Amino acid sequence: MKELEEKIVQADCLETLEKVRVELFGKKGVMAAEFAKMKDVPGPEKKAFAEGLNKNKAALQSAFDARFEVLKADEIERVLKSEEIDVSLYSTLAKKGALHPVMETMDKIIDYFVALNFAVESGPMVEDDFHNFEALNLPKYHPARDMQDTFYFKDGGLLRTHTSPVQIRTMLETKPPIRMIAPGTVFRRDFDVTHTPMFHQVEGLVVDEKGKVSFANLKSILTDFLQYMFGDVDVRFRPSFFPFTEPSAEVDISCIFCEGEGCRICSHTGWLEVLGCGIVDPNVFKAVGYDDVSGYAFGLGVERFAMLMHQIPDLRSLFEGDIRLLEQFR
Ligand code: PHE
């Protein structure tokens, strides 16, 4: 009896315990064999014999039940442990953030000019008429003001329509020579496939003594810059007009999609317009009180660069906040 109880207690897993159960309580088990002995027990002793057997059986059964509870609990514990998930562990599937393509493009542009020792300047997004227009040779009622649909505040303030006011602010605050860029957010009342009311520009301005800054300098630096941005492209300067530069040019690169053959994106011209630039108009220098200086300036739209570099067809998708767009730039 002790020996049998011992077997139960020593079973170290449910499987072993099951074997012990068959051995003890099975059809051909120890208990069955004991009960089979009943028929050989003489009549008067039968009752006592049976009572003894039943008592032993009950004791074994409760020992078994107790052991079963313990082993079952162990088993559950073991399974739970093996399936445990440590939510605090670092996952290799964790999503990393990414720079927005507009900011990434902006950084790439800034890197180029910083390497050439240009200072990075900034100015307010809420501007006044003087810095955004007047000082840039855009007097009131000048027809060129219509080129830029402006958001006005009731008090006459406005959201800057370009980064050019930073030229004015920098010239008013410092003395030449100046070599600066001004990356920033600008606003215009425009909304279609290639225009959003908020977008980004990078402005450039170089000012030095009269005769030291030429259109040739401008041409060479912008050509190199555009090849840094777009690879091996042709660059051409087309005469244009800006109130704050004279002469002015718009700059095209050979179409990076058809390599100049002509396609839908370049409107079958083989060229993509990417920049505005020119020699700083004397009236701008007059407005900031600069004498005997020469300079060049340029301005570009960062979204346009990003769209071309990443072949993004609809500008608006850059600002819809759809994470699936950003995931493509991780
Ligand atoms: N400010 C002009 C624009 O927003 C771009 C420009 C800047 C052109 C500097 C010439 C010189 O379109």
Side-chain angles (χ1 to χ4, degrees):
M1 186 52 201
K2 262 262 146 323
E3 199 184 289
L4 297 176
E5 233 161 6
E6 206 56 29
K7 267 195 175 165
I8 291 171
V9 173
Q10 270 164 17
D12 57 359
C13 67
L14 285 175
E15 233 176 291
T16 317
L17 188 63
E18 171 62 10
K19 278 188 190 136
V20 174
R21 186 190 67 78
V22 174
E23 192 184 329
L24 296 187
F25 307 118
K27 261 195 208 141
K28 292 176 184 156
V30 180
M31 287 322 287
E34 285 303 308
F35 277 102
K37 286 180 188 161
M38 275 276 277
K39 63 178 189 315
D40 300 319
V41 176
E45 291 163 34
K46 263 199 206 312
K47 192 175 174 231
F49 184 82
E51 271 173 9
L53 264 184
N54 277 330
K55 222 177 100 205
N56 283 347
K57 191 187 172 190
L60 286 175
Q61 185 66 53
S62 73
F64 176 88
D65 289 344
R67 189 64 191 152
F68 183 85
E69 283 313 314
V70 170
L71 290 178
K72 186 75 195 164
D74 283 357
E75 173 73 5
I76 289 170
E77 190 64 24
R78 192 183 61 75
V79 171
L80 284 181
K81 258 229 145 62
S82 74
E83 291 175 358
E84 192 175 66
I85 294 168
D86 183 352
V87 290
S88 70
L89 274 183
Y90 179 80
S91 161
T92 51
L93 298 174
K95 289 193 175 164
K96 280 190 202 144
L99 271 188
H100 191 281
V102 171
M103 288 304 131
E104 187 206 29
T105 306
M106 186 105 110
D107 284 352
K108 188 170 175 181
I109 295 167
I110 294 171
D111 283 350
Y112 177 87
F113 290 102
V114 164
L116 292 178
N117 235 348
F118 279 64
V120 180
E121 304 288 355
S122 61
M125 292 180 206
V126 176
E127 267 295 3
D128 51 44
D129 192 88
F130 174 76
H131 293 91
N132 196 82
F133 292 126
E134 198 87 31
L136 288 162
N137 197 29
L138 267 148
K140 284 201 177 56
Y141 311 116
H142 190 292
R145 282 202 181 194
D146 291 344
M147 284 163 70
Q148 302 176 352
D149 283 314
T150 311
F151 288 107
Y152 285 98
F153 294 100
K154 285 209 178 82
D155 65 1
L158 52 89
L159 291 176
R160 67 180 178 194
T161 56
H162 50 181
T163 41
S164 302
V166 186
Q167 288 188 31
I168 303 301
R169 289 184 177 274
T170 308
M171 285 192 282
L172 287 172
E173 279 160 22
T174 56
K175 295 211 167 335
I178 288 172
R179 200 191 282 119
M180 60 150 262
I181 54 167
T185 314
V186 300
F187 307 85
R188 288 183 201 175
R189 299 176 50 155
D190 243 340
F191 192 57
D192 59 40
V193 192
T194 50
H195 298 90
T196 49
M198 181 280 307
F199 61 105
H200 301 83
Q201 288 189 332
V202 176
E203 188 84 9
L205 174 70
V206 171
V207 181
D208 210 328
E209 286 164 34
K210 206 173 190 86
K212 273 202 173 175
V213 180
S214 69
F215 202 97
N217 301 151
L218 172 64
K219 208 174 160 184
S220 120
I221 197 171
L222 289 182
T223 302
D224 187 61
F225 164 65
L226 289 171
Q227 287 169 348
Y228 155 85
M229 292 301 286
F230 294 104
D232 187 20
V233 288
D234 290 334
V235 178
R236 78 174 182 187
F237 287 69
R238 229 176 343 97
S240 185
F241 173 79
F242 297 103
F244 27 90
T245 48
E246 180 61 33
S248 305
E250 276 171 322
V251 186
D252 300 339
I253 55 169
S254 53
C255 181
I256 49 178
F257 301 102
C258 63
E259 287 173 9
E261 296 263 309
C263 66
R264 206 174 46 83
I265 297 169
C266 62
S267 309
H268 302 281
T269 62
W271 296 94
L272 298 164
E273 186 198 317
V274 290
L275 271 172
C277 67
I279 294 296
V280 180
D281 193 288
N283 283 341
V284 174
F285 288 140
K286 210 180 280 170
V288 296
Y290 275 17
D291 277 327
D292 292 323
V293 291
S294 56
Y296 65 69
F298 57 86
L300 63 87
V302 182
E303 280 75 7
R304 175 143 178 86
F305 273 54
M307 283 175 82
L308 293 174
M309 287 164 64
H310 296 295
Q311 306 191 20
I312 300 165
D314 187 336
L315 174 60
R316 293 169 293 194
S317 65
L318 286 172
F319 303 116
E320 278 165 356
D322 190 331
I323 206 89
R324 291 170 300 180
L325 179 101
L326 296 176
E327 277 173 344
Q328 297 177 60
F329 298 97
R330 235 191 290 148

Short mmCIF file of all heavy atoms in Angstrom, two decimals, residues 66-103:
data_model
loop_
_atom_site.label_atom_id
_atom_site.label_comp_id
_atom_site.label_asym_id
_atom_site.label_seq_id
_atom_site.Cartn_x
_atom_site.Cartn_y
_atom_site.Cartn_z
N ALA A 66 -4.94 14.32 -5.65
CA ALA A 66 -4.11 15.43 -5.16
C ALA A 66 -2.90 15.63 -6.07
O ALA A 66 -2.56 16.76 -6.46
CB ALA A 66 -3.65 15.14 -3.73
N ARG A 67 -2.27 14.48 -6.43
CA ARG A 67 -1.09 14.57 -7.29
C ARG A 67 -1.47 15.15 -8.65
O ARG A 67 -0.74 15.97 -9.22
CB ARG A 67 -0.47 13.17 -7.45
CG ARG A 67 0.88 13.17 -8.15
CD ARG A 67 1.93 13.92 -7.32
NE ARG A 67 3.16 14.15 -8.05
CZ ARG A 67 3.98 15.18 -7.84
NH1 ARG A 67 3.68 16.07 -6.91
NH2 ARG A 67 5.09 15.31 -8.53
N PHE A 68 -2.63 14.72 -9.14
CA PHE A 68 -3.10 15.20 -10.44
C PHE A 68 -3.26 16.72 -10.43
O PHE A 68 -2.81 17.41 -11.34
CB PHE A 68 -4.43 14.52 -10.81
CG PHE A 68 -4.94 14.92 -12.16
CD1 PHE A 68 -4.50 14.28 -13.32
CD2 PHE A 68 -5.84 15.97 -12.29
CE1 PHE A 68 -4.95 14.67 -14.57
CE2 PHE A 68 -6.31 16.37 -13.53
CZ PHE A 68 -5.86 15.72 -14.68
N GLU A 69 -3.87 17.24 -9.37
CA GLU A 69 -4.04 18.69 -9.25
C GLU A 69 -2.71 19.42 -9.34
O GLU A 69 -2.56 20.40 -10.07
CB GLU A 69 -4.71 19.06 -7.91
CG GLU A 69 -6.22 18.83 -7.83
CD GLU A 69 -6.97 19.36 -9.04
OE1 GLU A 69 -6.70 20.53 -9.44
OE2 GLU A 69 -7.80 18.62 -9.61
N VAL A 70 -1.75 18.90 -8.60
CA VAL A 70 -0.44 19.55 -8.57
C VAL A 70 0.21 19.54 -9.96
O VAL A 70 0.67 20.57 -10.46
CB VAL A 70 0.49 18.85 -7.54
CG1 VAL A 70 1.93 19.36 -7.68
CG2 VAL A 70 -0.03 19.08 -6.13
N LEU A 71 0.22 18.34 -10.58
CA LEU A 71 0.88 18.23 -11.89
C LEU A 71 0.17 19.04 -12.96
O LEU A 71 0.79 19.65 -13.83
CB LEU A 71 0.97 16.76 -12.30
CG LEU A 71 1.95 15.93 -11.47
CD1 LEU A 71 1.94 14.47 -11.93
CD2 LEU A 71 3.37 16.48 -11.52
N LYS A 72 -1.17 19.08 -12.87
CA LYS A 72 -1.95 19.84 -13.85
C LYS A 72 -1.60 21.33 -13.73
O LYS A 72 -1.38 22.01 -14.75
CB LYS A 72 -3.45 19.62 -13.58
CG LYS A 72 -4.37 20.25 -14.60
CD LYS A 72 -4.37 19.45 -15.89
CE LYS A 72 -4.97 20.26 -17.03
NZ LYS A 72 -4.64 19.67 -18.33
N ALA A 73 -1.51 21.80 -12.50
CA ALA A 73 -1.16 23.22 -12.29
C ALA A 73 0.24 23.51 -12.82
O ALA A 73 0.46 24.53 -13.48
CB ALA A 73 -1.24 23.55 -10.80
N ASP A 74 1.17 22.56 -12.57
CA ASP A 74 2.52 22.73 -13.10
C ASP A 74 2.49 22.84 -14.62
O ASP A 74 3.18 23.69 -15.22
CB ASP A 74 3.40 21.52 -12.73
CG ASP A 74 3.85 21.58 -11.28
OD1 ASP A 74 3.51 22.60 -10.62
OD2 ASP A 74 4.51 20.64 -10.81
N GLU A 75 1.70 21.95 -15.21
CA GLU A 75 1.62 21.91 -16.68
C GLU A 75 1.10 23.24 -17.23
O GLU A 75 1.67 23.81 -18.17
CB GLU A 75 0.68 20.75 -17.07
CG GLU A 75 0.36 20.65 -18.54
CD GLU A 75 1.52 20.13 -19.39
OE1 GLU A 75 2.55 19.77 -18.80
OE2 GLU A 75 1.38 20.13 -20.62
N ILE A 76 0.04 23.75 -16.63
CA ILE A 76 -0.52 25.03 -17.08
C ILE A 76 0.53 26.13 -16.96
O ILE A 76 0.75 26.93 -17.87
CB ILE A 76 -1.80 25.39 -16.28
CG1 ILE A 76 -2.93 24.44 -16.69
CG2 ILE A 76 -2.20 26.84 -16.50
CD1 ILE A 76 -4.17 24.52 -15.81
N GLU A 77 1.21 26.11 -15.83
CA GLU A 77 2.26 27.09 -15.58
C GLU A 77 3.33 27.03 -16.68
O GLU A 77 3.76 28.04 -17.22
CB GLU A 77 2.89 26.79 -14.21
CG GLU A 77 3.83 27.86 -13.69
CD GLU A 77 3.09 29.18 -13.44
OE1 GLU A 77 1.85 29.19 -13.23
OE2 GLU A 77 3.77 30.22 -13.51
N ARG A 78 3.72 25.79 -17.02
CA ARG A 78 4.78 25.58 -18.01
C ARG A 78 4.34 26.11 -19.38
O ARG A 78 5.08 26.83 -20.06
CB ARG A 78 5.10 24.08 -18.12
CG ARG A 78 6.37 23.77 -18.90
CD ARG A 78 6.57 22.26 -19.01
NE ARG A 78 5.46 21.61 -19.72
CZ ARG A 78 5.28 21.67 -21.04
NH1 ARG A 78 6.13 22.36 -21.78
NH2 ARG A 78 4.26 21.06 -21.62
N VAL A 79 3.08 25.78 -19.78
CA VAL A 79 2.57 26.23 -21.08
C VAL A 79 2.52 27.76 -21.12
O VAL A 79 2.95 28.40 -22.08
CB VAL A 79 1.19 25.61 -21.38
CG1 VAL A 79 0.57 26.26 -22.61
CG2 VAL A 79 1.31 24.11 -21.58
N LEU A 80 1.99 28.34 -20.03
CA LEU A 80 1.90 29.81 -19.99
C LEU A 80 3.28 30.44 -20.13
O LEU A 80 3.48 31.41 -20.86
CB LEU A 80 1.25 30.26 -18.68
CG LEU A 80 -0.26 30.09 -18.58
CD1 LEU A 80 -0.76 30.60 -17.24
CD2 LEU A 80 -0.96 30.84 -19.71
N LYS A 81 4.24 29.84 -19.44
CA LYS A 81 5.61 30.37 -19.50
C LYS A 81 6.15 30.33 -20.91
O LYS A 81 6.74 31.28 -21.41
CB LYS A 81 6.54 29.55 -18.56
CG LYS A 81 6.82 30.25 -17.26
CD LYS A 81 8.31 30.26 -16.93
CE LYS A 81 8.69 31.57 -16.22
NZ LYS A 81 7.98 31.73 -14.91
N SER A 82 5.92 29.16 -21.56
CA SER A 82 6.50 29.00 -22.90
C SER A 82 5.83 29.92 -23.92
O SER A 82 6.40 30.24 -24.94
CB SER A 82 6.40 27.54 -23.34
OG SER A 82 5.06 27.25 -23.69
N GLU A 83 4.58 30.32 -23.63
CA GLU A 83 3.88 31.19 -24.59
C GLU A 83 3.91 32.65 -24.17
O GLU A 83 3.27 33.50 -24.77
CB GLU A 83 2.42 30.73 -24.74
CG GLU A 83 2.31 29.39 -25.44
CD GLU A 83 0.89 28.87 -25.48
OE1 GLU A 83 0.00 29.55 -24.92
OE2 GLU A 83 0.68 27.80 -26.07
N GLU A 84 4.67 32.94 -23.13
CA GLU A 84 4.68 34.29 -22.59
C GLU A 84 5.24 35.29 -23.61
O GLU A 84 6.21 35.00 -24.31
CB GLU A 84 5.56 34.31 -21.35
CG GLU A 84 5.45 35.57 -20.55
CD GLU A 84 6.26 35.45 -19.27
OE1 GLU A 84 7.50 35.36 -19.38
OE2 GLU A 84 5.66 35.42 -18.20
N ILE A 85 4.61 36.44 -23.71
CA ILE A 85 5.11 37.49 -24.60
C ILE A 85 5.52 38.69 -23.76
O ILE A 85 4.72 39.23 -22.99
CB ILE A 85 4.02 37.93 -25.61
CG1 ILE A 85 3.71 36.78 -26.56
CG2 ILE A 85 4.49 39.16 -26.40
CD1 ILE A 85 2.47 37.01 -27.39
N ASP A 86 6.77 39.08 -23.89
CA ASP A 86 7.25 40.25 -23.16
C ASP A 86 7.02 41.48 -24.02
O ASP A 86 7.77 41.76 -24.95
CB ASP A 86 8.73 40.08 -22.84
CG ASP A 86 9.26 41.24 -22.02
OD1 ASP A 86 8.51 42.24 -21.83
OD2 ASP A 86 10.40 41.18 -21.59
N VAL A 87 5.93 42.20 -23.71
CA VAL A 87 5.58 43.33 -24.56
C VAL A 87 6.58 44.47 -24.45
O VAL A 87 6.57 45.39 -25.26
CB VAL A 87 4.16 43.86 -24.25
CG1 VAL A 87 3.12 42.87 -24.71
CG2 VAL A 87 4.03 44.20 -22.79
N SER A 88 7.45 44.39 -23.45
CA SER A 88 8.42 45.48 -23.31
C SER A 88 9.68 45.24 -24.13
O SER A 88 10.53 46.10 -24.27
CB SER A 88 8.79 45.66 -21.84
OG SER A 88 9.57 44.56 -21.43
N LEU A 89 9.77 44.04 -24.73
CA LEU A 89 10.96 43.74 -25.54
C LEU A 89 10.98 44.58 -26.80
O LEU A 89 9.94 44.87 -27.38
CB LEU A 89 10.97 42.26 -25.93
CG LEU A 89 11.57 41.29 -24.94
CD1 LEU A 89 11.55 39.89 -25.54
CD2 LEU A 89 13.00 41.67 -24.60
N TYR A 90 12.18 44.95 -27.27
CA TYR A 90 12.31 45.68 -28.53
C TYR A 90 11.98 44.73 -29.67
O TYR A 90 12.48 43.61 -29.73
CB TYR A 90 13.74 46.20 -28.69
CG TYR A 90 13.93 46.94 -29.99
CD1 TYR A 90 13.50 48.26 -30.11
CD2 TYR A 90 14.46 46.31 -31.11
CE1 TYR A 90 13.63 48.93 -31.30
CE2 TYR A 90 14.60 46.98 -32.30
CZ TYR A 90 14.19 48.29 -32.39
OH TYR A 90 14.31 48.95 -33.57
N SER A 91 11.12 45.15 -30.56
CA SER A 91 10.76 44.30 -31.68
C SER A 91 11.51 44.72 -32.92
O SER A 91 11.67 45.89 -33.22
CB SER A 91 9.26 44.41 -31.95
OG SER A 91 8.99 43.94 -33.26
N THR A 92 11.96 43.72 -33.67
CA THR A 92 12.64 44.03 -34.93
C THR A 92 11.64 44.54 -35.96
O THR A 92 12.01 45.06 -36.99
CB THR A 92 13.33 42.78 -35.50
OG1 THR A 92 12.37 41.73 -35.52
CG2 THR A 92 14.52 42.39 -34.67
N LEU A 93 10.34 44.36 -35.66
CA LEU A 93 9.32 44.83 -36.59
C LEU A 93 8.91 46.27 -36.31
O LEU A 93 8.08 46.82 -37.01
CB LEU A 93 8.08 43.94 -36.52
CG LEU A 93 8.30 42.48 -36.91
CD1 LEU A 93 7.04 41.67 -36.66
CD2 LEU A 93 8.71 42.37 -38.37
N ALA A 94 9.50 46.86 -35.28
CA ALA A 94 9.10 48.21 -34.91
C ALA A 94 9.27 49.14 -36.10
O ALA A 94 10.26 49.07 -36.82
CB ALA A 94 9.94 48.71 -33.74
N LYS A 95 8.30 50.01 -36.31
CA LYS A 95 8.37 50.91 -37.46
C LYS A 95 9.24 52.11 -37.12
O LYS A 95 9.03 52.77 -36.12
CB LYS A 95 6.96 51.36 -37.84
CG LYS A 95 6.20 50.22 -38.45
CD LYS A 95 4.94 50.71 -39.11
CE LYS A 95 4.26 49.55 -39.81
NZ LYS A 95 2.90 49.82 -40.16
N LYS A 96 10.18 52.35 -37.99
CA LYS A 96 11.03 53.52 -37.81
C LYS A 96 10.38 54.70 -38.51
O LYS A 96 9.76 54.54 -39.56
CB LYS A 96 12.39 53.27 -38.43
CG LYS A 96 13.30 52.44 -37.56
CD LYS A 96 14.70 52.46 -38.16
CE LYS A 96 15.49 51.26 -37.67
NZ LYS A 96 16.38 50.74 -38.70
N GLY A 97 10.53 55.86 -37.96
CA GLY A 97 10.03 57.04 -38.62
C GLY A 97 10.89 57.38 -39.83
O GLY A 97 11.94 56.79 -40.03
N ALA A 98 10.41 58.29 -40.64
CA ALA A 98 11.21 58.70 -41.79
C ALA A 98 11.03 60.19 -41.99
O ALA A 98 10.02 60.77 -41.58
CB ALA A 98 10.75 57.96 -43.04
N LEU A 99 12.01 60.81 -42.59
CA LEU A 99 11.86 62.23 -42.92
C LEU A 99 10.83 62.36 -44.03
O LEU A 99 10.80 61.55 -44.95
CB LEU A 99 13.20 62.78 -43.42
CG LEU A 99 14.16 63.34 -42.39
CD1 LEU A 99 15.32 64.00 -43.09
CD2 LEU A 99 13.46 64.35 -41.48
N HIS A 100 10.01 63.37 -43.94
CA HIS A 100 9.08 63.67 -45.02
C HIS A 100 9.91 64.01 -46.26
O HIS A 100 10.94 64.69 -46.15
CB HIS A 100 8.22 64.86 -44.60
CG HIS A 100 7.06 65.10 -45.51
ND1 HIS A 100 7.21 65.73 -46.72
CD2 HIS A 100 5.74 64.77 -45.40
CE1 HIS A 100 6.01 65.79 -47.32
NE2 HIS A 100 5.11 65.21 -46.53
N PRO A 101 9.49 63.53 -47.44
CA PRO A 101 10.29 63.77 -48.65
C PRO A 101 10.59 65.25 -48.89
O PRO A 101 11.66 65.58 -49.43
CB PRO A 101 9.44 63.19 -49.78
CG PRO A 101 8.15 62.76 -49.17
CD PRO A 101 8.36 62.64 -47.70
N VAL A 102 9.69 66.13 -48.47
CA VAL A 102 9.95 67.56 -48.66
C VAL A 102 11.12 68.00 -47.77
O VAL A 102 12.02 68.73 -48.21
CB VAL A 102 8.70 68.41 -48.36
CG1 VAL A 102 9.05 69.89 -48.33
CG2 VAL A 102 7.62 68.14 -49.41
N MET A 103 11.13 67.53 -46.52
CA MET A 103 12.22 67.90 -45.60
C MET A 103 13.53 67.27 -46.03
O MET A 103 14.60 67.87 -45.91
CB MET A 103 11.86 67.46 -44.18
CG MET A 103 10.77 68.31 -43.56
SD MET A 103 11.24 70.08 -43.58
CE MET A 103 9.77 70.81 -44.26
#
